[in-house]
Each structure stands twice: as C-alpha cells, then as structure tokens.
C-alpha cells in the first residue's frame, strides 16, 4: 500500500515547518496561504504553558477576546473556502467575582458564536468526541449527587468545524491523490459520523521535566485532514502542543506549519513528528 501511495502521490511526504515561538509570529505568513487549521486552544483552566502565558484569564473579558484575535488572524491566512477545526470542551467551570462559586459555561457554543458573529467564519460541522471511560473525566464522587452540585462524569468534548466563505480551488491531480488516501482510510470507524469514539491521549515528554502535556488524539487530526483538505494543501496549528497535526499532515502528504510557545518541547516534538 505504501509503495502504491508513493507512486501515485509523492516520493517523500513534505517536511513540516515548526516555529518555537508565540503564534503572534503568524503575522509573518502570507494572507490566504493556509487551507486548513486543526488545533486545540488552551482551555483557560490553569494549565501550565510556561511563563509567557496565563491560562487563568477572566473568561469573558480576556479569554474569549484572546481567541477572537488569534482566529481573526487565522481567517486572514485562510484561503476562501478553507476550514478551521477546533477541539474544545463543551463545558468548563468559571468562578464568579468572589472566586467561591463557579458555574458551567458552554465553551464550544460560546466560541462558535463568537467566531461566526464577531468574526466572519461560517459554522459547517459540529462533532461530539466520545472519550469513553477515562480517569481524567471522572469527578470526585465522595459525596452523593446533589441537585445544587455538578455530579456527572465528563466523557465528551467537541470539534467545531468552521469555514471561510467562498469556494476554494484545487487540481484534478490533488483530487485523485486525495481519493487514494481516503480509500486507504475508509474503513476507519466513525470516519463519516459526527460522533467520534476515540480514547483520549496522554503524553509525558522525554527530554524535559514539563510533566504531562495536553494533546488530542492522532485520529482527530487525521479525520479533519481527510475531510477538509487535499493532498498538497497547507495545514496550520497555532497551538502545536506535541505536534499531532504536523505528524498527521506529513503522513497524509500535506504541508504543515506549527507554532508552540514552550521552547523546551522542541526536541520531543521533532522526534514525535519525525522531523530532521
């Protein structure tokens, strides 16, 4: 299969481009140079991303405006008819002003509404990620469920798929090559569905003591790439993390560009992605 793929697609998969810097560096990229963005932005839950990023922002006045700024820049970079796939939580707890009582906020809905009203994106698809049983999704059940407290385990997240208005161009060769790769992956369970049953992934970097680093499973990126891009397209991940998007783009013969602010992760990322 791989020999057949190499013969009909390219001799070698394209090498990803990795920028170990803030995604503010995307300003150097050309407008309408990206066909698809696949990423998972910070969840605003206090995760450690290094000294230059605060993951405990005020949700309304800081966190959502930050996402709007970044994905307005992604909009500039995206070709007409290109796509943005966002892996985001359905609900997170947001503390009130006295930091004592929290309430659930529908993050996936908030981000989709923000980018389609304040931004110019169009909502195309909405996927439910069924993570199945996993330790990270379990809540403390030491107390019996109470009507005034959140008591349900959290085993789902969302993939919001947005489109830049317009029609994109592609060649017959791109379509034929993409069809070959699609057929090779067509037996993948859930590939055409809007509910994806995928176990969550974990990652402990080898070359740094950063601890467990957030990532989404390879199947997420792979399915988004198969559905919303062609062979030879350019794929972007402004929150690169482990480099999952870059790795899957390389395997599926897409060009890719990633930005990651945690510079100490570079060696781990390059080894995982399979870069020089």
């Amino acid at each position: 299969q791989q020999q057949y793929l190499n013969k009909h697609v390219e001799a070698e998969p394209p090498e990803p481009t990795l920028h170990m810097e803030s995604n503010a560096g995307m300003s150097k990229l050309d407008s309408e140079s990206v066909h698809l963005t696949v990423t998972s932005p910070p969840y605003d839950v206090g995760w450690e991303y290094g000294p230059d990023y605060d993951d405990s922002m005020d949700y309304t006045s800081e966190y959502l405006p930050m996402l709007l700024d970044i994905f307005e820049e992604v909009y500039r970079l995206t070709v007409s008819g290109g796509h943005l796939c966002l892996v985001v939580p359905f609900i997170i707890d947001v503390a009130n002003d006295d930091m004592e009582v929290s309430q659930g906020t529908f993050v996936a809905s908030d981000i989709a509404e923000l980018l389609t009203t304040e931004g110019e994106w169009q909502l195309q698809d909405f996927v439910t990620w069924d993570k199945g049983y996993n330790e990270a999704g379990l809540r403390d059940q030491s107390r019996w469920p109470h009507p005034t407290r959140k008591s349900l385990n959290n085993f789902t997240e969302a993939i919001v798929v947005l489109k830049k208005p317009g029609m994109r161009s592609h060649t017959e060769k791109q379509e034929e090559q993409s069809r070959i790769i699609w057929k090779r992956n067509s037996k993948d369970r859930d590939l055409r569905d809007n509910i994806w049953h995928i176990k969550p992934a974990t990652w402990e970097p080898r070359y740094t003591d950063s601890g467990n680093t957030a990532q989404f499973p390879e199947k997420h990126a792979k399915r988004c790439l198969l559905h919303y891009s062609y062979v030879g397209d350019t794929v972007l991940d402004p929150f690169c993390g482990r480099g999952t998007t870059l790795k899957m783009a390389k395997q599926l013969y897409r060009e890719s560009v990633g930005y990651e602010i945690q510079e100490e992760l570079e060696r781990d990322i390059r080894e995982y992605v399979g870069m020089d």
Side-chain angles (χ1 to χ4, degrees), residues 10 13 23 38-39 48 56 78 89 148 174 209 214 241 260 269:
E10 300 290 345
N23 50 35
V38 180
T39 195
E48 292 291 337
S56 298
T78 305
T148 60
Q174 279 184 295
D209 58 359
E260 174 52 47
I269 295 170

Side-chain angles (χ1 to χ4, degrees), residues 143-259:
R143 302 173 181 174
W144 63 280
H146 193 286
T148 60
R149 302 189 187 100
K150 181 187 287 188
S151 59
L152 298 180
N153 293 322
N154 179 18
F155 295 146
T156 59
E157 290 188 21
I159 299 96
V160 180
V161 182
L162 302 162
K163 178 184 177 183
K164 184 172 179 176
M167 294 291 292
R168 58 153 300 175
S169 61
H170 66 279
T171 65
E172 291 184 5
K173 181 179 179 180
Q174 279 184 295
E175 186 164 333
E176 177 59 28
Q177 292 174 339
S178 302
R179 186 180 296 113
I180 293 170
I181 293 179
W182 174 275
K183 288 180 178 179
R184 189 182 177 207
N185 292 275
S186 60
K187 293 183 180 179
D188 180 13
R189 182 189 175 195
D190 308 331
L191 181 60
R192 294 179 179 271
D193 301 337
N194 68 349
I195 299 178
W196 292 355
H197 304 274
I198 305 173
K199 286 288 186 181
T202 59
W203 172 40
E204 291 282 350
R206 294 178 59 188
Y207 303 112
T208 176
D209 58 359
S210 294
N212 196 328
T213 300
Q215 71 167 52
F216 53 88
E218 292 180 358
K219 277 190 176 181
H220 277 355
K222 192 172 195 178
R223 290 175 181 178
C224 290
L225 287 158
L226 289 170
H227 277 290
Y228 303 110
S229 70
Y230 292 102
V231 167
D233 279 355
T234 297
V235 181
L236 171 68
D237 189 344
F239 300 98
C240 192
R242 190 182 188 185
T244 307
T245 299
L246 306 188
K247 180 177 180 178
M248 293 298 100
K250 181 177 181 179
Q251 289 186 4
L252 297 176
Y253 294 85
R254 275 76 164 165
E255 304 279 352
S256 58
V257 182
Y259 287 82

Side-chain angles (χ1 to χ4, degrees), residues 19-247:
H19 297 283
M20 300 306 299
E21 61 175 311
S22 162
N23 50 35
M26 295 190 301
S27 62
K28 303 170 188 175
L29 301 180
D30 293 336
S31 297
E32 300 196 359
S33 59
V34 170
H35 299 88
L36 170 65
T37 297
V38 180
T39 195
S40 183
Y43 282 13
D44 199 32
V45 291
W47 196 283
E48 292 291 337
Y49 289 104
D52 299 324
Y53 178 79
D54 178 10
D55 195 47
S56 298
M57 300 179 181
D58 180 85
Y59 181 76
T60 303
S61 66
E62 296 178 301
Y63 176 68
L64 290 179
M66 180 270 292
L67 292 185
L68 179 61
D69 287 344
I70 289 171
F71 293 116
E72 281 185 338
E73 179 67 0
V74 172
Y75 187 91
R76 176 187 71 82
L77 299 174
T78 305
V79 301
S80 296
H83 290 85
L84 165 62
C85 298
L86 292 173
V87 182
V88 293
F90 275 113
I91 297 175
I92 62 171
D93 290 339
V94 178
N96 64 5
D97 292 339
D98 58 17
M99 300 300 290
E100 294 178 356
V101 181
S102 64
Q103 63 180 11
T105 297
F106 198 178
V107 182
S109 176
D110 288 347
I111 293 175
E113 182 178 7
L114 181 72
L115 298 185
T116 55
T117 55
E118 298 295 326
E120 300 181 55
W121 295 96
Q122 297 175 342
L123 181 63
Q124 175 158 330
D125 285 311
F126 198 96
V127 178
T128 297
W129 172 20
D130 173 11
K131 298 186 287 186
Y133 178 87
N134 66 92
E135 294 290 341
L138 292 172
R139 297 192 62 82
D140 179 7
Q141 299 294 343
S142 58
R143 302 173 181 174
W144 63 280
H146 193 286
T148 60
R149 302 189 187 100
K150 181 187 287 188
S151 59
L152 298 180
N153 293 322
N154 179 18
F155 295 146
T156 59
E157 290 188 21
I159 299 96
V160 180
V161 182
L162 302 162
K163 178 184 177 183
K164 184 172 179 176
M167 294 291 292
R168 58 153 300 175
S169 61
H170 66 279
T171 65
E172 291 184 5
K173 181 179 179 180
Q174 279 184 295
E175 186 164 333
E176 177 59 28
Q177 292 174 339
S178 302
R179 186 180 296 113
I180 293 170
I181 293 179
W182 174 275
K183 288 180 178 179
R184 189 182 177 207
N185 292 275
S186 60
K187 293 183 180 179
D188 180 13
R189 182 189 175 195
D190 308 331
L191 181 60
R192 294 179 179 271
D193 301 337
N194 68 349
I195 299 178
W196 292 355
H197 304 274
I198 305 173
K199 286 288 186 181
T202 59
W203 172 40
E204 291 282 350
R206 294 178 59 188
Y207 303 112
T208 176
D209 58 359
S210 294
N212 196 328
T213 300
Q215 71 167 52
F216 53 88
E218 292 180 358
K219 277 190 176 181
H220 277 355
K222 192 172 195 178
R223 290 175 181 178
C224 290
L225 287 158
L226 289 170
H227 277 290
Y228 303 110
S229 70
Y230 292 102
V231 167
D233 279 355
T234 297
V235 181
L236 171 68
D237 189 344
F239 300 98
C240 192
R242 190 182 188 185
T244 307
T245 299
L246 306 188
K247 180 177 180 178

